[in-house]
Amino acid sequence: MCSSEKWAQGVRDRLLPWALEGVELGDEVLELGPGYGANLRVLVEQVPVLTAVEIDEDTTRLLQKGWGDRARIIHGDASELPFPDRDFSSVVCFTMLHHVPTAEAQDRIFREAFRVLRPGGVFAGSDSQPNFRFRLLHIGDTMNTLPPKTLPGRLEAAGFTDVVVDRYPERGGGVRFRGRRPE
Ligand SMILES: C[S@@+](CC[C@H](N)C(=O)[O-])C[C@H]1O[C@@H](n2cnc3c(N)ncnc32)[C@H](O)[C@@H]1O
């Protein structure tokens, strides 16, 4: 589904504007889990320097072919980022965290996002919430959605302040989150 043009349009017109509403991305942005690039192709038009880390090798190659001249696309694991501390003005991820099989691994990603952010930088993103169609789509696939109630505490445990977690206004919609690395 994430490779379809319909998905890319929905991301561009609805999901991304909602997920990043009011978020200042700054000059050096890191996207975790770009997949087929539905968000990346929008972000690359909006930010000065974009880096993305994708765990799947084939998908990374595909992205490098399509966008490698405009973004730095790296094969790697978001829970062990190959960057020094305090490298980015913002870290973002969309519709990705439910593909991470355990809460512990998701928490490692939150800690890594915090580590590579400059003081004052923002971690922001969104993910789906379970419903009938989403469960059907994930039969035989990883589906570890983020419980909105515990997410603020988990982001705070990683070090973030000014944490906000809320739900998409339409029924059955996803969750968005943001937190800041303190100055
Ligand atoms: C459902 S896709 C979403 C892709 C894209 N963000 C979008 O919204 O269209 C999730 C992507 O996250 C990647 N991913 C999962 N775990 C990851 C990890 N630990 N590090 C980096 N990428 C990961 C998957 O390989 C997949 O490409």
Side-chain angles (χ1 to χ4, degrees):
M1 195 182 97
C2 295
S3 63
S4 70
E5 214 29 59
K6 191 172 172 215
W7 172 254
Q9 263 178 33
V11 162
R12 187 192 61 212
D13 298 342
R14 290 187 298 281
L15 198 143
L16 198 58
W18 173 71
L20 294 182
E21 189 182 16
V23 173
E24 286 286 334
L25 292 175
D27 57 349
E28 283 228 36
V29 181
L30 170 64
E31 184 187 1
L32 308 175
Y36 293 96
N39 299 277
L40 183 137
R41 67 176 79 171
V42 182
L43 290 171
V44 84
E45 303 288 347
Q46 299 180 352
V47 303
V49 181
L50 179 64
T51 301
V53 171
E54 168 57 53
I55 203 166
D56 183 78
E57 212 168 343
D58 292 341
T59 311
T60 306
R61 245 183 262 120
L62 212 70
L63 270 186
Q64 285 167 339
K65 213 169 146 212
W67 303 98
D69 55 340
R70 302 187 62 193
R72 181 168 59 144
I73 297 155
I74 293 170
H75 176 230
D77 182 345
S79 67
E80 277 179 82
L81 290 171
F83 308 114
D85 298 355
R86 303 168 179 228
D87 217 17
F88 294 94
S89 57
S90 57
V91 178
V92 294
C93 70
F94 311 96
T95 322
M96 175 268 190
L97 287 159
H98 72 270
H99 271 281
V100 176
T102 64
E104 290 71 26
Q106 290 171 339
D107 289 342
R108 275 201 301 280
I109 291 174
F110 298 157
R111 290 195 294 273
E112 278 295 85
F114 184 88
R115 181 182 68 74
V116 301
L117 270 175
R118 296 179 199 149
V122 180
F123 177 44
S126 60
D127 208 342
S128 309
Q129 287 290 289
N131 57 36
F132 181 67
R133 183 165 173 270
F134 193 69
R135 284 181 208 281
L136 275 184
L137 279 171
H138 287 79
I139 289 173
D141 198 359
T142 306
M143 196 198 88
N144 183 28
T145 50
L146 299 165
K149 275 199 176 145
T150 55
L151 187 54
R154 292 171 65 192
L155 291 168
E156 283 160 5
F160 292 104
T161 56
D162 305 324
V163 169
V164 177
V165 172
D166 56 11
R167 298 289 305 271
Y168 194 73
E170 280 169 29
R171 213 171 135 250
V175 64
R176 72 177 171 184
F177 57 87
R178 65 272 313 263
R180 185 174 297 280
R181 177 170 178 154
E183 296 282 354

